[in-house]
Amino acid sequence: MIDPATASTAMLDAAIRRAVENVAAGGGPFAAVVARGEQVVAHGVNRVTRDLDPTAHAEVVAIRAACQAVGRFSLAGCVLVSSCEPCPLCLAASLWARLDAVVYAADRHDAARAGFDDLAFYDLFGAPRDQWSLPVGQVAVASAGAPFDAWLAKSDRVDY
Amino acid sequence: MIDPATASTAMLDAAIRRAVENVAAGGGPFAAVVARGEQVVAHGVNRVTRDLDPTAHAEVVAIRAACQAVGRFSLAGCVLVSSCEPCPLCLAASLWARLDAVVYAADRHDAARAGFDDLAFYDLFGAPRDQWSLPVGQVAVASAGAPFDAWLAKSDRVDY
């Protein structure tokens, strides 16, 4: 448990209310907010089925909106506040967004009871790939390194 | 190694070429395609810095575009072909998209040599959360289960 004083319980309460409202609106039962201190940078609700986008999880939607709001691809200095534990997709998005911290209310087990695969996918990430239901494999291609050679040779590249 | 016969080496070659081109265009050195058999459903290139979107990895871009192309939030029956091993974000997106398989050319170690955090983030996913550089924690909120109660009570919900 992170010290609740470091999270905004009011923001968690608000996210939970928006998650409930999102169900009535035809979306999934998830909502999130990106905050800087007490200031809300952007909201997000789950829009997977409404937008036909399997990546439109509340946290991803909030992260994308927050980056547009601040005009940067980094959210360093910001915190993600989510109605439910971010799944591996959303946690990886949080890492790439360079967020300072992630806090949540419900967890992967609560989501599993409601029929969602967050827990199952966390279990997959903890298992060897040859035990995955999704086959994931490397194919040898001679030119595989060419994009990275081009990247390293580009002196004005924008790192992230 | 997945049997290369199950992947399209031509598609991998093309993705690698697009990844090289994307570097010249100011993007990251990654490209991907969603395919159904020999048919390309959608392409994607890395647009993180150009779109100010830390989730705009080539695979995520391809998955989102493919879902729009087919008009569904599931890509069951499709394969993701990527110039580089999908990072945890992209692999989780592949799971949520219900793809049949994922094949790639370069891997997380190649990406690390070019300065990308794919390997570092895979290592985090394999480590206990209290060892993460990103603090991730649950906060007790009494109403945490309310969104899932609303979800389970909604008889016309669209599961995913």
Side-chain angles (χ1 to χ4, degrees), chain B residues 45-132:
Chain B
V45 293
N46 179 290
R47 298 194 55 93
V48 168
T49 60
R50 281 190 290 172
D51 288 356
L52 304 179
D53 180 358
T55 73
H57 288 201
E59 298 93 327
V60 169
V61 173
I63 286 169
R64 299 180 80 219
C67 285
Q68 295 306 307
V70 301
R72 292 188 301 274
F73 53 80
S74 166
L75 296 174
C78 297
V79 173
L80 179 67
V81 178
S82 182
S83 64
C84 185
E85 181 180 10
C87 77
L89 171 77
C90 298
L91 199 51
S94 301
L95 289 166
W96 285 113
R98 314 297 176 179
L99 284 157
D100 280 11
V102 174
V103 295
Y104 58 88
D107 68 11
R108 66 185 81 174
H109 301 280
D110 299 310
R113 282 192 289 273
F116 294 95
D117 285 333
D118 306 52
L119 172 62
F121 292 167
Y122 267 114
D123 288 346
L124 279 183
F125 270 87
R129 283 233 182 117
D130 58 10
Q131 296 174 20
W132 281 45

Side-chain angles (χ1 to χ4, degrees), chain B residues 13-14 25 30 34 48 75 80 86 109 133 135 149-150 156 158:
Chain B
D13 279 332
F30 304 93
V34 172
V48 168
L75 296 174
L80 179 67
H109 301 280
S133 48
D149 294 340
D156 63 342
V158 180

Side-chain angles (χ1 to χ4, degrees), chain A residues 38-119:
Chain A
E38 296 299 308
Q39 181 198 354
V40 172
V41 179
H43 292 286
V45 293
N46 181 289
R47 298 193 55 93
V48 168
T49 60
R50 282 191 288 173
D51 288 357
L52 304 179
D53 179 358
T55 74
H57 287 202
E59 299 93 326
V60 169
V61 172
I63 286 170
R64 299 180 80 220
C67 285
Q68 296 306 308
V70 301
R72 293 189 300 276
F73 53 81
S74 166
L75 296 174
C78 297
V79 173
L80 179 67
V81 178
S82 183
S83 65
C84 184
E85 183 181 8
C87 78
L89 171 77
C90 299
L91 199 52
S94 301
L95 289 166
W96 285 114
R98 314 298 176 179
L99 284 157
D100 280 11
V102 175
V103 294
Y104 58 90
D107 68 12
R108 66 185 81 175
H109 302 280
D110 298 310
R113 281 192 290 273
F116 294 95
D117 285 335
D118 307 52
L119 172 62

